[in-house]
Amino acid sequence: MSPALPRPGLREVEPYAAPQLDVRARLNTNECPYPLPEAFREDLAAAVRLLPLNRYPERDADEVRERLAEVNGQRVEGTWVANGSNEVIQQLMLAYAGPGRRVVVFDPTYGLHARLAWVASSDVAHIALEQPWRLGSEQVTSALEDDPDVVFVCSPNNPTGNAQPVEIVAELATRGEALVVVDEAYIEFGGQSALGLVADHPNVIVVRTFSKAFALAGARIGYCFGAPEVIEDLRRVRLPYHVSALTQAAGLVALDHMTDALAIVDAVRSERDRVLEALPGLGVEAFASDANFVLFRTPHPTERVWQDLLDRGVLVRDFGRVMPGCLRVTAGTPEEIDLFLSALEEVLR
Ligand SMILES: *Cc1c(COP(=O)(O)O)cnc(C)c1O
């Protein structure tokens, strides 16, 4: 018997993976470093206790969508929810990309955009940006060559940290007909949102998440805003009942506690700024950031810096393969950042 074979090329690709290690400072995946407030936990437990789990959940998570629309000044018909923004993006790819269709990404950026485009069997075009990785009209022209179906903009961008000008998103949307997917996973930390473009630009979709500023990476909740026609298309590709009742409950409780959750944003931002201020003094180049992380470059091989930091209990992300010399550190608690800075100083000595 011969073994079954997957689609061509599949085994040449590694599964998405970032180490999940039990260390003193886990600063490699941009999560919120603080646990959820006690009041949130209690409300969530109470909400879960009442759930009728013998029934399928509300199919389109209407209540969560209504609340999200209200909080963000959007129409409910233009609001969509899924299991993390990654699932929103996957659904966008299933609906707008696919075989024979073209997706553009600006590198360096979040690897999942190209990955999910590829999973949907789309053609992916990469446009390389030069430091400081800012999009301009020239890049809009390159992106719109060959009539793409989807163009991704990540703002603030992961892993570089810079936000992109909203005018450039508008230019992409106006000059071309592609769906412009703006990934705003870090927008609560800085940068100007493209949300204001949604009303007048039916080809702009703004994707957000509860994973970063809302401190709910474990709950897997993401959402997006766009034209009602686009949301209708997502409904055509989504799995029935894709957002569990547990997830919907977590989303609603999170929205009730939004002010508490977002209060943490300031603390995280000030740790990010502390990293930005301290690194040059260690002889390390640090790149300005509008997000909850900092990209930095040392003169040493990144594998060594990464391992030496890990040996001191600090886990960061190695981007040396994408950008020579570069690593990324998440803004953690003051204690975690103290540890990171002292460990880095030792490592570089
Ligand atoms: C972390 C991150 C996400 C979050 O994905 P979820 O599926 O919502 O957890 C999305 N986009 C970017 C650019 C990110 O860095």
Side-chain angles (χ1 to χ4, degrees):
M1 254 198 309
S2 55
L5 288 177
R7 56 190 264 199
L10 187 81
R11 293 200 177 150
E12 282 142 46
V13 176
E14 290 302 314
Y16 173 86
Q20 295 188 297
L21 304 175
D22 190 14
V23 293
R24 280 164 71 200
R26 217 166 120 172
L27 304 174
N28 68 329
T29 45
N30 301 341
E31 293 142 319
C32 174
Y34 297 98
L36 289 154
E38 195 49 39
F40 173 92
R41 292 163 182 276
E42 272 165 29
D43 287 358
L44 180 59
V48 167
R49 213 171 283 130
L50 295 176
L51 290 176
L53 286 177
N54 55 315
R55 298 288 177 193
Y56 281 113
E58 206 169 67
R59 194 165 29 236
D60 290 321
D62 289 331
E63 207 179 336
V64 185
R65 289 170 53 229
E66 278 159 22
R67 292 285 309 281
L68 279 170
E70 184 189 315
V71 164
N72 290 280
Q74 298 295 306
R75 293 172 291 184
V76 65
E77 317 82 68
T79 306
W80 183 247
V81 180
N83 296 288
S85 52
N86 283 340
E87 191 184 38
V88 175
I89 293 167
Q90 184 178 46
Q91 291 169 337
L92 285 165
M93 292 301 95
L94 291 173
Y96 282 81
R101 292 175 68 91
R102 187 177 172 82
V103 177
V104 175
V105 298
F106 298 103
D107 284 336
T109 193
Y110 187 50
L112 260 293
H113 297 156
R115 168 65 63 104
L116 293 171
W118 172 82
V119 167
S121 301
S122 338
D123 299 328
V124 186
H126 294 261
I127 296 178
L129 298 182
E130 299 296 323
Q131 204 181 308
W133 309 290
R134 191 180 164 89
L135 289 174
S137 296
E138 198 185 316
Q139 284 78 29
V140 171
T141 304
S142 323
L144 296 178
E145 260 169 36
D146 300 326
D147 263 338
D149 299 288
V150 179
V151 179
F152 275 102
V153 175
C154 191
S155 182
N157 186 43
N158 179 9
T160 55
N162 61 298
Q164 299 295 358
V166 172
E167 301 72 43
I168 289 298
V169 177
E171 196 178 323
L172 267 169
T174 315
R175 282 177 52 195
E177 279 157 19
L179 185 73
V180 182
V181 178
V182 189
D183 186 337
E184 295 192 347
Y186 301 99
I187 196 69
E188 294 84 358
F189 299 100
Q192 199 193 340
S193 174
L195 196 52
L197 299 178
V198 164
D200 296 330
H201 299 81
N203 56 338
V204 170
I205 190 114
V206 172
V207 184
R208 300 223 181 133
T209 181
F210 281 68
S211 295
K212 309 287 160 59
F214 278 90
L216 274 180
R220 313 302 303 124
I221 314 174
Y223 54 103
C224 69
F225 301 109
E229 293 76 7
V230 177
I231 305 306
E232 276 303 312
D233 292 332
L234 296 182
R235 196 174 271 122
R236 293 184 168 98
V237 297
R238 62 115 159 81
L239 293 174
Y241 315 106
H242 66 296
V243 186
S244 84
L246 297 162
T247 307
Q248 294 187 32
L252 288 173
V253 174
L255 288 166
D256 288 340
H257 289 266
M258 194 168 69
T259 333
D260 299 353
L262 294 179
I264 295 172
V265 165
D266 282 335
V268 171
R269 255 199 233 118
S270 84
E271 291 310 300
R272 169 198 72 196
D273 292 342
R274 197 154 69 91
V275 171
L276 284 169
E277 278 162 33
L279 290 187
L282 302 179
V284 172
E285 189 180 3
F287 301 102
S289 172
D290 297 302
N292 66 340
F293 55 81
V294 173
L295 184 75
F296 61 97
R297 181 182 278 143
T298 84
H300 307 290
T302 52
E303 297 86 348
R304 208 205 81 201
V305 176
W306 183 84
Q307 185 62 53
D308 288 353
L309 285 172
L310 186 57
D311 293 343
R312 288 159 180 81
V314 181
L315 180 59
V316 299
R317 188 74 163 255
D318 181 356
F319 277 96
R321 275 200 287 176
V322 187
M323 285 168 286
C326 288
L327 300 106
R328 189 193 69 197
V329 62
T330 305
T333 63
E335 297 73 29
E336 288 170 329
I337 295 306
D338 284 345
L339 181 64
F340 162 71
L341 291 172
S342 62
L344 187 63
E345 189 177 2
E346 259 180 54
V347 166
L348 298 174
R349 207 176 279 152

